[in-house]
Amino acid sequence: MAPSLEEPQPVDMDAPLKATPNLVAPEPEHCPGPTSKAAGQSSACDGCPNQSICSTAPKGPDPDLPLITARLSSVKNKLLVLSGKGGVGKSTFTTMLAHAFASNPSSSVGIMDTDICGPSIPKMLGVEAETIHISASGWSPVWVADNLCVMSVQFMLPNRDDAVIWRGPKKNGLIKQFLKDVEWGPLDYLLVDTPPGTSDEHLSTNSFLKESGVAGAVLVTTPQEVALLDVRKEIDFCAKAGIRVLGLVENMAGFVCPKCTHTSEIFAASTGGARGLARETGVPFLGSVPLDPRIGMACDYGESFFDNFPDSPACKALRGVVKRVSEEMGLSAEEVLPHGVDVGEHW
C-alpha cells in the first residue's frame, strides 16, 4: 500500500489521463508529462533518457472515460469542495454539507474522499473502521445512513495510522477506480472532497468528470489574508480548468460561545475576508459559518452536528449556505432541504 516517497511530478493540465509509460529515469524538472501531446518533443525532453519512450507512448482520450460517464449517469449533481489552503475546515464543511443535503429523506448523498494522503472523512462520519465490499457490480460504498454513503482510501488501509506515500500516477489510478468501479447508484448529490492545492488529485478528478458533467465547485476559506492568498490561486485554477465556481464560503467566521451564543472574532478579516474576495473576483458569496467547538466534538465522535444542534448559529448559517448553493445550481431550497426547515440568511 505504501511505495517509497519520491518527488512530486509536474502534470500537464491538458494531458490525457492514460497509464504512465514505464520510464527508465526520473522525469526532469520541466517535463511536459509522459502522456502529454508534447511528450518527447519539447525542449525539456532534449537529452532525457526517456525521450524515445515518451515520444512513442500512446496518446489520445482515456478509454475509461466512457465507463466513468456510464457509471455516474444516475448521479444528478456532482460538486467539488476546494480550498487551496489546508486547515480551513474543508473536510469538516464537506461532511456538514452532506448531512444538510441528507436531512431531506427524499435525497441520496454520496461523498468521495480524494484526499489520498489525509483521509479524514470516514472519522468525521463515524465509519473509520469499515471496509470496502466488492461484488460483481463493483465496489460498494460505505453507508453512513440510509441516504448517505462515502468512499475513501481509509477503508483500504490495513491499519488506521498507515501512511499513504504515493506519487501522482498511483493517486490518479485510485481516483479513477473510485469513479469507475464504485457502485454509487442513483444519487442526488455527489460531493468530492479534495486535498489542499491545485495538483494531481484536482486535475485527475476534473478530467475524469468532464464528460459526465460537474455542477461546479464550492470554495472554502477562512477570513484571514493568509488563507485568501491560496484561495485566489484556486479560483485561477478553476478558470483555467473550466470548472464553474458556485461560490465562496467563509468558514470559522467568528467564535460562538456554546453557552451564551456570544460571538468573538478569532481570525480577523484584515483584507475584507471572503466577502471582499468575492466582490474582487466576481465570485458569488455563499455565506459565513461561525466556529463552534461542538463542531469539532461532533467530528471526533463521528456524529452529525447538523442533526444534533439544529438551532445553533453555525447550523442556521449552514442552511443559508445550502440555500445559496441550491440557487447557484438552479434548484430551489424547498427541493433541497426538508419542508418546514428555516433556511435562514447569511450568518
Side-chain angles (χ1 to χ4, degrees), residues 49-277:
N50 301 316
Q51 186 171 17
S52 61
I53 298 174
C54 294
S55 62
T56 56
K59 308 293 191 300
D62 190 321
D64 286 330
L65 289 182
L67 300 177
I68 293 173
T69 302
R71 174 70 84 175
L72 299 178
S73 60
S74 57
V75 178
K76 295 179 182 178
N77 300 287
K78 307 170 195 70
L79 301 176
L80 307 181
V81 182
L82 311 173
S83 73
K85 185 70 174 176
V88 298
K90 176 176 43 55
S91 295
T92 302
F93 177 79
T94 300
T95 59
M96 292 174 65
L97 189 63
H99 279 300
F101 282 134
S103 66
N104 188 339
S106 64
S107 296
S108 296
V109 185
I111 302 178
M112 189 176 86
D113 185 3
T114 64
D115 195 343
I116 306 300
C117 296
S120 56
I121 293 287
K123 173 70 174 177
M124 296 177 180
L125 294 176
V127 291
E128 189 180 20
E130 297 293 331
T131 57
I132 297 173
H133 299 282
I134 302 176
S135 65
S137 57
W139 297 3
S140 297
V142 172
W143 288 90
V144 181
D146 290 340
N147 63 340
L148 175 58
C149 64
V150 61
M151 178 56 69
S152 172
V153 70
Q154 182 67 41
F155 303 134
M156 305 168 66
L157 301 181
N159 302 296
R160 57 171 288 183
D161 295 329
D162 286 350
V164 180
I165 311 174
W166 289 355
R167 290 193 304 152
K170 187 87 170 180
K171 294 179 182 179
N172 297 345
L174 183 61
I175 291 172
K176 179 188 282 189
Q177 283 189 284
F178 281 175
L179 293 169
K180 179 173 67 76
D181 296 335
V182 173
E183 188 183 9
W184 292 106
L187 292 177
D188 293 285
Y189 310 97
L190 177 62
L191 307 182
V192 182
D193 183 56
T194 62
T198 55
S199 192
D200 289 320
E201 295 91 335
H202 310 77
L203 291 167
S204 299
T205 302
N206 182 51
S207 297
F208 292 143
L209 289 176
K210 215 156 210 176
E211 286 191 12
S212 62
V214 176
V218 175
L219 273 57
V220 182
T221 185
T222 47
Q224 71 273 37
E225 177 61 22
V226 71
L228 298 176
L229 281 171
D230 289 339
V231 175
R232 287 187 178 90
K233 296 178 177 65
E234 197 75 39
I235 293 173
D236 182 59
F237 165 79
C238 289
K240 291 176 178 176
I243 302 171
R244 180 191 173 201
V245 178
L246 296 176
L248 278 171
V249 176
E250 187 173 71
N251 198 24
M252 307 185 202
F255 167 76
V256 177
C257 176
K259 296 186 181 297
C260 67
T261 69
H262 175 73
T263 302
S264 302
E265 188 177 81
I266 303 297
F267 302 113
S270 56
T271 58
R275 193 185 297 270
L277 179 60

Side-chain angles (χ1 to χ4, degrees), residues 18 25-26 28 32 38 84 90 103 111 139 192 205 223 234 278 280 282 299 303 316 324 330 342 347:
K18 295 175 72 68
K90 176 176 43 55
S103 66
I111 302 178
W139 297 3
V192 182
T205 302
E234 197 75 39
E280 173 190 330
C299 290
E303 298 178 354
K316 292 178 181 178
R324 293 284 288 116
D342 178 17
W347 174 76

